[in-house]
């Protein structure tokens, strides 16, 4: 590090030179001494000393105190006064210039060294403190957030001590200087009550606190702000704040998007389960009761919702269903004719949305569910018709004296009449549902010939006579047989074949 430079201001030439030599031997850089007050500032500007040893009384009645004040004000150079004696008034004036020490003439080397070292150390610490304060001041003035400092004036009064430009802009201070304004006046009104209380808590409990407050004007939201209130030394309180309106709007937008996505996924799951139930094997009433439960689960507030399905005079509903004014109703159609309806109700009053208290997504869900309900009712009707037809076929077969065996396209037994039981010497229960390949029994020649008869029909594409069996294919629109009708060869056919 370069040597510290000490400038001596002394009107007595011999004393000045003695001090200069002694201080140089201590390892300091000592430029030529100054003997006259008028030369001090020009030399200090040129030499830039780290410390000035200044005689309080210079020649021609010059006042060293005034010179020290000029050095402090213009150059910030630390001063140590050198004096042999002085009156109390002069010493008091000298103290007001904030000197870094006093040396009494003639000083001992040890005293001189100690005073210089302490003065230089204090000056270095003061410069570091001033640099730090300058940086902090620059940060305070240029930080992107609003910054305020409140000082305690009395037990229950805080006054605004400092405010940075961003805070002025955010608070709309304009040309008015709010410094010195009381906390209650600066942040007045009930909306700022939490913030005022936070300032007192920060001072009394020495803890930091973060608050988010909204600002309204006649019911219209103006902005959102985040405040950080924290304690400072000497009972002061700092407040940092920023406008987070865009952040809040983005947060709300993301929340709404997440809610919409969650709703969409919930409705997809609901519709998937509804479709599975509608096309499943359950009885129709059980299906529709389960679908009513699923519709409720798909609403925004399932805990306060109920549903009811009516069709052809029948009803299936959730246990808590009660007709209310807050309802959504859609017709259940069969061939474009209303045969019932789906009702979804909220049991408590809800805010109006797309249709009553229901959102557009809930309305869409209900309309898709109604389609599944219509499909389930239609499927049940078709199954009932098919079952009825099967019963008719079975009854028709029972009225015939000819033994008949009805197989599906895969060779599985669907129906058997009583005449076949007698002719084949077999119980109906032994045949129904079995494949022809598993019916073969010793002593039943027809059971051994059934697989061959079916294979022959498939190969030849028409009826086959394979004594004692007559096999006829049952065809629909396709080429492959839908099933097969098996009967014994009649006596007439046998006579014709024999002739």
């Amino acid at each position: 590090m370069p040597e510290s430079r000490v400038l001596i201001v002394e009107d007595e030439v011999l004393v000045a030179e003695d001090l200069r030599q002694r201080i140089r031997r201590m390892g300091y850089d000592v430029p030529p001494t100054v003997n006259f007050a008028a030369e001090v500032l020009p030399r200090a500007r040129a030499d830039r000393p780290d410390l000035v040893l200044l005689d309080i009384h210079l020649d021609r009645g010059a006042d060293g105190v005034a010179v020290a004040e000029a050095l402090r004000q213009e150059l910030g150079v630390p001063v140590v006064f050198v004096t042999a004696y002085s009156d109390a008034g002069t010493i008091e004036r000298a103290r007001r210039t904030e000197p870094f020490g006093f040396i009494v003439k003639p000083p001992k080397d040890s005293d001189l060294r100690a005073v210089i070292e302490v003065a230089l150390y204090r000056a270095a610490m003061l410069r570091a403190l001033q640099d730090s304060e300058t940086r902090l001041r620059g940060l305070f003035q240029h930080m992107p957030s609003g910054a305020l400092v409140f000082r305690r004036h009395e037990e229950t009064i805080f006054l605004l001590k400092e405010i940075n430009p961003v805070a002025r802009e955010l608070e709309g201070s304009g040309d008015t200087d709010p410094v010195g304004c009381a906390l209650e006046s600066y942040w007045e009104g009930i909306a700022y009550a939490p913030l005022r209380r936070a300032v007192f808590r920060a001072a009394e409990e020495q803890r930091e606190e973060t608050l988010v407050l909204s600002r309204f004007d006649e019911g219209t939201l103006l902005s959102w702000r985040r405040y950080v209130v924290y304690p400072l030394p000497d009972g002061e309180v700092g407040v940092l704040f920023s406008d987070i309106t865009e952040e809040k709007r983005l947060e709300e937008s993301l929340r709404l998007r997440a809610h919409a996505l969650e709703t969409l996924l919930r409705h997809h799951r609901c519709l998937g389960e509804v479709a599975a139930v509608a096309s499943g094997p359950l009885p129709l009433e059980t299906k529709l009761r389960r679908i009513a439960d699923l519709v409720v689960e798909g609403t925004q507030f399932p805990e306060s919702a109920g549903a009811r399905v009516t069709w052809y005079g029948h009803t299936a509903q959730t246990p808590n269903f009660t007709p209310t004014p807050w309802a959504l109703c859609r017709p259940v159609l069969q061939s474009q004719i209303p045969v019932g309806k789906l009702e979804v109700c909220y049991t408590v009053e809800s805010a109006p949305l797309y249709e009553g208290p229901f959102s557009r997504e809930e309305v869409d869900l209900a309309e898709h569910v109604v389609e599944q309900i219509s499909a389930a009712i239609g499927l049940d009707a078709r199954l009932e018709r098919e079952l009825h037809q099967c019963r008719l076929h079975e009854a028709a077969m029972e009225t015939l004296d000819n033994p008949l065996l009805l197989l599906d396209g895969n060779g599985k037994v669907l129906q058997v009449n009583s005449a076949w039981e007698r002719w084949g010497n077999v119980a109906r229960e032994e045949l129904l549902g079995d494949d022809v390949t598993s019916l073969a029994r010793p002593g039943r020649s027809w059971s051994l010939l059934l697989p061959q008869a079916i294979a022959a029909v498939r190969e030849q594409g028409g009826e086959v006579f394979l004594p004692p069996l007559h096999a006829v294919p049952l065809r629909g629109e396709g080429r492959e047989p839908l099933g097969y009708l098996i009967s014994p060869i009649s006596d007439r056919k046998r006579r014709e074949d024999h002739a």
Side-chain angles (χ1 to χ4, degrees), residues 150 157-159 178 180-189 192 196:
F150 290 92
I157 298 177
F158 278 90
L159 301 180
C181 182
L183 173 64
E184 296 286 340
S185 300
Y186 186 72
W187 281 328
E188 60 181 351
Y192 287 108
R196 296 194 297 269

Side-chain angles (χ1 to χ4, degrees), residues 26-40:
M26 294 176 189
Y28 296 102
D29 177 18
V30 186
T33 59
V34 178
N35 305 116
F36 302 101
E39 299 176 357
V40 176

Side-chain angles (χ1 to χ4, degrees), residues 193-222:
L195 197 53
R196 296 194 297 269
R197 290 194 292 268
V199 170
F200 278 90
R201 283 195 297 271
E204 294 167 2
E205 301 176 17
Q206 292 294 295
R207 64 185 179 92
E208 182 179 306
E209 191 171 342
T210 300
L211 300 91
V212 175
L213 301 180
S214 54
R215 300 173 67 240
F216 287 85
D217 182 17
E218 296 182 356
T220 301
L221 176 65
L222 298 180

Side-chain angles (χ1 to χ4, degrees), residues 296 299-306 320 324 326 345-350:
V296 168
T299 61
Q300 295 184 79
F301 310 107
E303 66 281 356
S304 60
N320 65 334
T324 69
W326 313 292
C345 295
Y346 279 120
T347 56
V348 295
E349 184 175 1
S350 301

Side-chain angles (χ1 to χ4, degrees), residues 407-413 434-437 439 454 458 483-484:
L407 309 177
D408 67 11
N410 296 316
K412 184 179 293 186
V413 178
D434 277 350
D435 187 273
V436 293
T437 57
L439 296 178
I454 298 301
R458 288 173 176 169
Y484 306 92

Side-chain angles (χ1 to χ4, degrees), residues 162-396:
E162 295 185 66
I163 177 172
N164 75 343
V166 174
R168 289 179 184 273
E169 180 180 352
L170 289 174
E171 298 286 52
S173 301
D175 298 330
T176 305
D177 188 3
V179 173
C181 182
L183 173 64
E184 296 286 340
S185 300
Y186 186 72
W187 281 328
E188 60 181 351
I190 192 170
Y192 287 108
L195 197 53
R196 296 194 297 269
R197 290 194 292 268
V199 170
F200 278 90
R201 283 195 297 271
E204 294 167 2
E205 301 176 17
Q206 292 294 295
R207 64 185 179 92
E208 182 179 306
E209 191 171 342
T210 300
L211 300 91
V212 175
L213 301 180
S214 54
R215 300 173 67 240
F216 287 85
D217 182 17
E218 296 182 356
T220 301
L221 176 65
L222 298 180
S223 65
W224 287 88
R225 289 183 182 175
R226 179 183 291 114
Y227 295 86
V228 179
V229 185
Y230 57 96
L232 293 172
D234 302 324
E236 295 181 346
V237 176
V239 180
L240 297 177
F241 66 99
S242 57
D243 190 298
I244 58 170
T245 305
E246 289 305 316
E247 178 184 330
K248 278 289 185 180
R249 286 174 179 165
L250 177 59
E251 182 181 302
E252 179 65 9
S253 175
L254 292 175
R255 187 191 68 79
L256 291 175
R257 290 184 183 181
H259 175 71
L261 180 58
E262 179 184 344
T263 300
L264 181 63
L265 292 174
R266 186 172 70 251
H267 288 181
H268 273 294
R269 287 195 298 269
C270 177
L271 286 175
E273 293 183 41
V274 167
V277 171
S279 60
L282 296 173
L284 181 60
E285 185 173 347
T286 305
K287 284 183 182 181
L288 299 186
R289 188 177 297 112
R290 176 57 182 148
I291 288 175
D293 291 335
L294 290 171
V295 170
V296 168
E297 292 173 12
T299 61
Q300 295 184 79
F301 310 107
E303 66 281 356
S304 60
R308 177 171 67 182
V309 181
T310 56
W311 76 104
Y312 293 121
H314 301 283
T315 300
Q317 65 184 47
T318 58
N320 65 334
F321 176 82
T322 302
T324 69
W326 313 292
L328 172 68
C329 183
R330 287 294 184 271
V332 175
L333 305 177
Q334 289 293 297
S335 300
Q336 303 302 313
I337 299 174
V339 299
K341 60 185 176 180
L342 167 66
E343 298 169 273
V344 185
C345 295
Y346 279 120
T347 56
V348 295
E349 184 175 1
S350 301
L353 294 174
Y354 179 75
E355 183 174 330
F358 295 91
S359 67
R360 175 60 184 268
E361 293 77 14
E362 289 176 306
V363 172
D364 289 344
L365 174 65
E367 291 177 348
H368 283 96
V369 169
V370 162
E371 293 176 2
Q372 294 296 328
I373 292 173
S374 298
I377 294 173
L379 175 62
D380 185 74
R382 287 194 300 275
L383 292 175
E384 187 63 33
R385 287 195 299 271
E386 291 173 2
L387 181 59
H388 180 67
Q389 290 173 357
C390 288
R391 292 194 185 106
L392 287 177
H393 294 159
E394 184 176 354

